[in-house]
Amino acid sequence: MSRKALMAAMLALPLSLTLPTVSAMAQTQAHGSDHGHQHADFQSDRIHVRVDGLEGGPDVVLIPGLTSSPRIWQDTVDQLSATHRIHRIHVNGFAGAPAGGNAQSGEEPSPFVVPVAEEIARYIEANGLQKPAVIGHSLGGTLAMTLASRHPDAVSKVMVVDMLPFVGAMFGPPGATTAESVQPVALNMWRQQASISREDYNTAGVATVTGMVNNEARRPMAIEDVERSDQAVAAAAYYDLVISDLRADLPKITVPMTVLYVKFNDARMTNEITDMIYRASFSTRPETTLKRIDDSAHFIMFDQPEVFAAEVDSFLKSN
C-alpha cells in the first residue's frame, strides 16, 4: 500500500473508533471529592495520585485515558502490588474528581496535555521516584509520550496502550496535516461539544463505550467514569489531544518504548492496514516496539486481561 493510500485509510476512520470522543462525556455531577481513593502526599491542582504496592519497590506510573479513573488499572495493581510500587494518576476533572486547575472558563480551550504531563513530571521529582516505568492508556498514552519526550531522564521505559502520536492526521489532507492546519477543525469540534446537551452526552457515552469495551461486565465502570467527568475539561482535553503532534518529538524519547494497539473497529480496516498505520505513525522512531493485540477493543486491559498482564510483565522485565 502506498503512503498516500495509507493516509487515506487513516482519514476514513472516525476518531471514535480509537479513543473516546468528547460527545461521549457528561458534565460533572455533585460528587465533590468523593471519587473513590486515597491521595498521595502531593499538592497539585491538575492531578492527584493513589499509591499502592510494595514500599521501596520499583516504581510504576499508570496514566488512564480521557475521562477514565485510576480504577481501570485495578487488575494491573493486583498483578504488581507484591513486587512494585504503583502510582495511579487521577486527572482532575475526570471521573468525579473536581476540575481544579484543569477547569475551563474562556472562549477557547486552555492547554491541557503539556500542563498535565508537567505535573506528572513534578510528581516524579517531588516524591523521589527512581526512573519509573510509565504506562498510559489512550490519552494517557499521549501524556506518557509527552512526559518521556520532555523529561527523558525521569523515566526508565514507556508503554503506550492504543494511541497514535498524532490523531489529528485523521482530520486533514493525507500526508499533509499539521497541528496548525487541523486546529480550526479541532476548534469547531470543541465548540460543538461544548454546546451538546447533558442527555445527548449520556446517550453518546453509552454508545461510544459499547464500541470500546467488548467485555460487557466491564462496560458499566467505563460508562460511570464518563458520566462523572466534567464536560468542559473533557472537551478541552480532546481538543488538545487532536492538535498534539508528537511525531517530531518521538526521537527525544531515549528510553525503550512499547506500543500495544488493536485493529481499528471498522470492517474496512484489516490487521494489515492497522499495522501499516502504526508503523507509519511511529516511523520517526523506528526502534519503537509495536505489537497488535487481537480480539480486543480499545480497553485492552478489560477485553484481554491475561494477555495484557503478560505484556505488562514482559515490558517491566525487559531492559
Side-chain angles (χ1 to χ4, degrees), residues 121-134:
R122 190 170 70 85
Y123 171 79
I124 291 171
E125 181 179 8
N127 286 270
L129 276 62
Q130 299 300 308
K131 291 185 177 292
V134 180

Side-chain angles (χ1 to χ4, degrees), residues 246-313:
L246 300 178
R247 292 174 296 184
D249 293 328
L250 290 178
K252 299 176 184 177
I253 301 176
T254 57
V255 298
M257 184 164 70
T258 296
V259 179
L260 305 181
Y261 62 94
V262 301
K263 185 183 81 66
F264 295 114
N265 186 19
D266 186 305
R268 299 166 295 175
M269 298 295 108
T270 63
N271 287 340
E272 179 187 30
I273 292 175
T274 301
D275 293 345
M276 295 178 71
I277 289 172
Y278 269 85
R279 285 198 298 268
S281 296
F282 285 91
S283 61
T284 56
R285 192 180 187 277
E287 66 270 31
T288 301
T289 299
L290 303 175
K291 186 164 186 178
R292 189 185 70 249
I293 305 299
D294 293 329
D295 300 318
S296 178
H298 185 57
F299 283 76
I300 300 173
M301 68 287 288
F302 287 175
D303 291 341
Q304 289 286 2
E306 293 182 1
V307 174
F308 186 74
E311 291 296 335
V312 168
D313 185 62

Side-chain angles (χ1 to χ4, degrees), residues 55-101:
E55 184 71 34
D59 292 307
V60 180
V61 175
L62 304 177
I63 312 174
L66 190 65
T67 76
S68 289
S69 71
R71 61 184 178 166
I72 72 161
W73 298 113
Q74 190 58 53
D75 288 351
T76 303
V77 171
D78 294 343
Q79 171 190 353
L80 301 178
S81 286
T83 56
H84 291 75
R85 192 69 164 160
I86 305 116
H87 308 259
R88 281 186 278 181
I89 305 298
H90 194 155
V91 176
N92 286 359
F94 292 172

Side-chain angles (χ1 to χ4, degrees), residues 41-308:
D41 184 14
F42 177 69
Q43 298 300 315
S44 171
D45 63 355
R46 290 191 180 270
I47 66 170
H48 50 282
V49 187
R50 176 172 179 170
V51 182
D52 301 280
L54 179 66
E55 184 71 34
D59 292 307
V60 180
V61 175
L62 304 177
I63 312 174
L66 190 65
T67 76
S68 289
S69 71
R71 61 184 178 166
I72 72 161
W73 298 113
Q74 190 58 53
D75 288 351
T76 303
V77 171
D78 294 343
Q79 171 190 353
L80 301 178
S81 286
T83 56
H84 291 75
R85 192 69 164 160
I86 305 116
H87 308 259
R88 281 186 278 181
I89 305 298
H90 194 155
V91 176
N92 286 359
F94 292 172
N102 295 327
Q104 303 289 315
S105 59
E107 295 183 357
E108 293 189 358
S110 60
F112 177 89
V113 170
V114 169
V116 171
E118 286 296 324
E119 281 298 89
I120 298 173
R122 190 170 70 85
Y123 171 79
I124 291 171
E125 181 179 8
N127 286 270
L129 276 62
Q130 299 300 308
K131 291 185 177 292
V134 180
I135 303 176
H137 173 243
S138 193
L139 170 63
T142 297
L143 290 169
M145 288 185 281
T146 303
L147 166 67
S149 65
R150 295 172 70 90
H151 302 275
D153 294 333
V155 302
S156 63
K157 59 185 68 176
V158 175
M159 174 182 279
V160 175
V161 184
D162 210 36
M163 176 51 63
L164 296 164
F166 181 41
V167 295
M170 298 179 182
F171 294 98
T177 307
T178 65
E180 291 75 19
S181 68
V182 82
Q183 186 173 16
V185 177
L187 193 59
N188 284 336
M189 289 191 295
W190 172 78
R191 288 170 178 152
Q192 293 170 1
Q193 291 154 1
S195 64
I196 194 170
S197 71
R198 171 64 181 276
E199 181 180 1
D200 287 344
Y201 261 60
N202 288 339
T203 300
V206 173
T208 301
V209 169
T210 298
M212 293 183 168
V213 182
N214 291 340
N215 186 334
E216 294 182 7
R218 295 296 187 98
R219 285 178 190 161
M221 178 191 297
I223 290 172
E224 182 182 2
D225 283 350
V226 163
E227 292 176 344
R228 296 183 68 193
S229 292
D230 184 285
Q231 176 180 343
V233 174
Y238 184 82
Y239 165 84
D240 214 22
L241 175 63
V242 171
I243 65 169
S244 294
D245 185 356
L246 300 178
R247 292 174 296 184
D249 293 328
L250 290 178
K252 299 176 184 177
I253 301 176
T254 57
V255 298
M257 184 164 70
T258 296
V259 179
L260 305 181
Y261 62 94
V262 301
K263 185 183 81 66
F264 295 114
N265 186 19
D266 186 305
R268 299 166 295 175
M269 298 295 108
T270 63
N271 287 340
E272 179 187 30
I273 292 175
T274 301
D275 293 345
M276 295 178 71
I277 289 172
Y278 269 85
R279 285 198 298 268
S281 296
F282 285 91
S283 61
T284 56
R285 192 180 187 277
E287 66 270 31
T288 301
T289 299
L290 303 175
K291 186 164 186 178
R292 189 185 70 249
I293 305 299
D294 293 329
D295 300 318
S296 178
H298 185 57
F299 283 76
I300 300 173
M301 68 287 288
F302 287 175
D303 291 341
Q304 289 286 2
E306 293 182 1
V307 174
F308 186 74

